[in-house]
Each structure stands twice: as structure tokens, then as C-alpha cells.
Amino acid sequence: MDVGGTKVALRLEHDDLSISESSFRWAEPDGADAMTSVDPTRDLDLLARHVSELCAGDPERLTGVGVAMPATLDAAGTVTAWPGRPGWTGVDLGGALSALFGDAEVRCADDGDLAALAEAHEAGCPDLLYLGVGTGIGGGIVLNGKPVPGVGRGSCEVGHLVVDRDGPLCDCGRRGCVQAAASGPATL
């Protein structure tokens, strides 16, 4: 599962090695301050519905689930920060995923770190710097074939580096972050 600020991509690998995929966009937030009005309960219900559809109504049959997540999670799986969807702060994501997937092992990791690892593997390159531009800007670093762990959020979280103190307001609340000037929505 690749969770993003705008959409979620789902991929199911079956025992017979066939693959099913789907994706969906998060519902648009309501209100004047759209980002703070994000409803995580509505988001999680939407996620559960799409997972159930992909799994033919039985997501508890899965044996393992990997989740690429742009949010910062604590050790218990609670969202501590997600600038792109601040309404999720405090959500027990670990508990919600356990309820959705039953006994399946669920692992979450930073989306930029996982993307960097996948790109390094596909390119056969043991040392790689990855920058991803989407709803936000993230990235990851791989050295000697292993991801370089970061402090707090991912290993290469360049999206919230301030490059222009008078620049546009970022969804993290500061002005002039790389993400506020160069993310997908900012360039559109």
C-alpha cells in the first residue's frame, strides 16, 4: 500500500503470482481551512472499502501487508505528524490497520525511504539518492544497499527545508519550504 497525500495505490500479490492493483483519491476536505478539516475517520473508512474490494471482501486472508507512508509514526503506530493531512495527527494507524487486516503482519515505513530502496534495487545501484515529487517532496538515501535511517521523518526529507523565508505558505505552517514552491500542486 502506497499512501500519499492525494491518493492511495494498492497492489495485491496472489499465491498464483498474479497481481491485482487499484488506486483511489482521498476525499476532498471540507471547510475554509481544508487541510485541518481532513477527516481521518472518513479517510480510513474509504481505505477499508477499497482494500476490501481489492481483496474480494476478505482482507483478513492476507499474510503480510507493507505500507509506504508519508507521515511520521511513533513506535506504537500513532501518527505524530503529517503536514499534508494534519487531521491525522494522533490517529492510531497501527490499531486501524490491525483491525482491517486481522492477523496479517503489517509493517509501515517512510515512503521516501522505501522508494529509494526500490529504485536502488531495480537499478542495481548500491548507493543512491532518491527525490520524489508528488503531493509533497520526499526522498531517501541508500548506501551499500541499505537505507540510511533518518531522525523523525525519513532519511532525506528535503520538502520542508526553507529556501525562501518570504516564499509561499507550506502545509507544514512555515513559509518558503521547497515543497511549497516545487511540489506537484505548487507547480500546477
Side-chain angles (χ1 to χ4, degrees):
M1 192 176 349
D2 181 9
V3 178
T6 304
K7 69 178 181 71
V8 177
L10 304 167
R11 177 184 171 107
L12 177 61
E13 297 180 2
H14 303 275
D15 292 336
D16 66 3
L17 303 181
S18 64
I19 294 171
S20 300
E21 295 180 321
S22 71
S23 65
F24 66 93
R25 296 179 72 78
W26 291 120
E28 290 294 322
D30 300 322
D33 190 5
M35 281 298 105
T36 57
S37 66
V38 167
D39 181 355
T41 301
R42 184 171 66 170
D43 285 352
L44 289 169
D45 288 346
L46 186 61
L47 175 64
R49 187 174 84 234
H50 283 274
V51 165
S52 183
E53 287 172 6
L54 186 66
C55 296
D58 193 11
E60 292 186 12
R61 251 181 14 118
L62 298 175
T63 56
V65 178
V67 181
M69 191 73 190
T72 304
L73 306 177
D74 67 14
T78 300
V79 176
T80 59
W82 187 358
R85 294 189 85 72
W88 277 60
T89 301
V91 169
D92 178 12
L93 182 62
L97 293 175
S98 291
L100 178 59
F101 296 114
D103 292 333
E105 181 178 6
V106 178
R107 297 265 179 109
C108 295
D110 181 78
D111 60 341
D113 289 343
L114 292 175
L117 196 57
E119 291 291 340
H121 175 76
E122 185 63 28
C125 182
D127 302 319
L128 183 127
L129 167 67
Y130 169 85
L131 295 175
V133 178
T135 304
I137 296 181
I141 299 170
V142 176
L143 295 176
N144 295 319
K146 297 187 186 305
V148 176
V151 177
R153 299 207 59 215
S155 63
C156 188
E157 201 56 47
V158 299
H160 296 291
L161 292 174
V162 175
V163 293
D164 179 1
R165 291 176 196 244
D166 296 320
L169 184 63
C170 184
D171 58 13
C172 74
R174 296 185 298 184
R175 290 201 165 274
C177 291
V178 171
Q179 183 165 302
S183 66
T187 58
L188 291 175

